[in-house]
Amino acid sequence: MIGRLNHVAIAVPDLTAAAEQYRTALGAKVGAPQDEPDHGVTVIFIELPNTKIELLYPLGENSPINGFLEKNPAGGIHHICYEVDDILAARDQLLKTGARVLGTGEPKIGAHGKPVLFLHPKDFNGCLVELEQV
Amino acid sequence: MIGRLNHVAIAVPDLTAAAEQYRTALGAKVGAPQDEPDHGVTVIFIELPNTKIELLYPLGENSPINGFLEKNPAGGIHHICYEVDDILAARDQLLKTGARVLGTGEPKIGAHGKPVLFLHPKDFNGCLVELEQV
């Protein structure tokens, strides 16, 4: 069911410093910051040959990243995103196995303009898992 | 400098349950458990089309995963691994930027039989970063 690892999202306390570090210390291809007001984040994509890293920084007071950075002031890996072909079929299969889908259970349009769902971390080894239909 | 994302390593409190969940609920291609006594872990590889997930479970009393699971009883993402062509050149470049390398600073032979280094999470947004020479 799951396909490619679409991205690993890392919440960072200083977006400029994190981007510069990936550019300079790790020599990676680092994009420009993009505000995503619908998702309460500013994102910088790091393009690796086989997948992406998303640096996440809070945008606005109600950012979903605020709580994470309060608990993890140095930052940390926020979620991983797996691609699926059919997000509703994936959701229904997951619900059958007892996994919980966050929110209403209906896909939302994610930061890449595609339908996404998040799965409850307690059901997935403490990892917040995003599914994205590609 | 960094190349592909080689793997994302997830420490899990129940290896059999986690493998079964990736196989059944997420429909992934899940390998057999492999004991890595030199690294104090039992590993299951999940093969995605573009990268791997490594499920890590402690092997032995001195496993480096024990402390992580004490702090994160549900499990969690333990580290991410980037590939590099020349691990000594990568290390020297990192040291120049002020990043810290864990341990002696000399590469060890990792779970895949290749030279690896780990970077200090405090220097990398709270993420434990492994570099693997490929």
Side-chain angles (χ1 to χ4, degrees):
Chain A
M1 188 173 76
I2 56 170
R4 297 173 72 257
L5 179 74
N6 185 276
H7 62 266
V8 176
I10 301 175
V12 303
D14 182 334
L15 191 58
T16 307
E20 187 53 30
Q21 186 184 43
Y22 266 83
R23 190 181 287 119
T24 307
L26 292 176
K29 187 179 168 190
V30 176
Q34 301 176 22
D35 286 348
E36 304 274 0
D38 289 352
H39 299 94
V41 289
T42 300
V43 179
I44 286 181
F45 291 103
I46 296 167
E47 297 283 348
L48 302 180
N50 61 332
T51 189
K52 290 190 293 278
I53 305 294
E54 282 189 15
L55 301 179
L56 298 179
Y57 185 77
L59 178 67
E61 281 177 21
N62 299 316
S63 170
I65 308 299
N66 283 335
F68 183 88
L69 284 175
E70 272 163 32
K71 280 187 213 150
N72 305 278
I77 297 175
H78 184 264
H79 67 267
I80 50 178
C81 175
Y82 298 129
E83 297 179 358
V84 294
D85 285 330
D86 181 336
I87 202 162
L88 295 177
R91 176 195 64 186
D92 294 346
Q93 166 74 8
L94 282 157
L95 292 175
K96 259 194 239 172
T97 66
R100 285 166 290 175
V101 171
L102 296 185
T104 63
E106 294 306 314
K108 290 190 178 176
I109 298 302
H112 309 133
K114 295 178 176 168
V116 302
L117 282 175
F118 283 89
L119 308 178
H120 200 303
K122 288 206 176 154
D123 299 336
F124 283 93
N125 310 297
C127 303
L128 181 59
V129 172
E130 180 180 17
L131 298 181
E132 179 175 308
Q133 181 170 296
V134 290
Chain B
M1 189 172 77
I2 56 170
R4 298 172 71 255
L5 178 75
N6 186 276
H7 62 266
V8 176
I10 301 174
V12 302
D14 181 334
L15 190 59
T16 307
E20 186 53 29
Q21 186 184 42
Y22 267 83
R23 190 181 287 117
T24 306
L26 293 175
K29 186 178 169 191
V30 176
Q34 301 175 23
D35 286 347
E36 304 275 359
D38 289 351
H39 299 93
V41 289
T42 302
V43 179
I44 287 182
F45 291 104
I46 297 168
E47 296 283 348
L48 302 179
N50 60 334
T51 189
K52 290 191 292 279
I53 304 294
E54 283 189 15
L55 302 179
L56 298 180
Y57 185 77
L59 179 65
E61 281 175 22
N62 299 319
S63 169
I65 308 301
N66 284 334
F68 184 88
L69 284 174
E70 271 163 33
K71 282 187 213 149
N72 305 277
I77 297 176
H78 184 265
H79 67 267
I80 50 178
C81 175
Y82 298 128
E83 297 179 357
V84 293
D85 285 330
D86 181 336
I87 201 161
L88 294 178
R91 176 197 63 186
D92 293 345
Q93 167 72 7
L94 282 156
L95 292 175
K96 261 193 239 173
T97 68
R100 287 166 288 177
V101 172
L102 297 184
T104 63
E106 294 306 314
K108 289 189 178 178
I109 297 303
H112 308 135
K114 294 177 178 168
V116 301
L117 282 175
F118 284 89
L119 308 178
H120 200 302
K122 288 206 175 154
D123 299 335
F124 284 93
N125 310 297
C127 304
L128 181 59
V129 172
E130 181 180 17
L131 298 181
E132 180 175 307
Q133 180 169 297
V134 290

